[in-house]
Amino acid sequence: MSRSERSALLLAGLLAGAGVCHFVVPRPFAATVPRALPGSPRAWTYASGAAELALAAGVALPRTRRASARAAAAFFVGVFPANVQMAVDWRHRSAPLRTAALARLPLQVPLVLWARGVAKGQEGRS
């Protein structure tokens, strides 16, 4: 298995794991949904979990990998406001929790770059 294939499957696994968690333990995810969004935070949690599962399937399949990896990069950008909401909401929590919430903010950058790299690794292949 090539390095680019392994990277794509790892990204798919990360997306699938996160997607499943949105359904199995939705409460912490719902708590990060920005209050400015209309509707129920739980609905947004399930919708984002379903999106992650769909993206995982798309990234796992070579035929749809390039488009799905690009969509995953956009998804990672799109959920950034939830990480900001979490950092704001957790600013008065204990130091370890505050640190975890703040650490999530810059972690979106490598996720976006990873997804873009997976997409780029598929150029000329499909």
Side-chain angles (χ1 to χ4, degrees):
M1 178 182 304
S2 72
R3 183 177 177 182
S4 64
E5 178 80 7
R6 214 173 16 255
S7 180
L9 294 178
L10 285 170
L11 178 60
L14 174 88
L15 286 161
V20 167
C21 285
H22 279 70
F23 290 96
V24 175
V25 283
R27 179 179 273 167
F29 296 99
T32 67
V33 173
R35 289 178 278 290
L37 290 175
S40 157
R42 186 65 59 101
W44 284 102
T45 298
Y46 291 150
S48 63
E52 285 173 318
L53 291 171
L55 289 167
V59 169
L61 299 171
R63 187 170 179 201
T64 56
R65 182 169 295 149
R66 185 174 175 200
S68 297
R70 285 181 174 170
F75 178 83
F76 291 139
V77 171
V79 298
F80 183 73
N83 292 344
V84 172
Q85 185 70 54
M86 182 180 188
V88 169
D89 290 346
W90 288 23
R91 68 187 179 278
H92 299 299
R93 294 210 177 171
S94 68
L97 291 176
R98 256 192 338 266
T99 301
L102 290 171
R104 287 185 64 162
L105 297 175
L107 283 177
Q108 291 303 112
V109 173
L111 289 173
V112 170
L113 295 176
W114 184 11
R116 288 184 58 202
V118 167
K120 203 169 199 172
Q122 287 300 114
E123 286 181 5
R125 289 194 179 157
S126 347

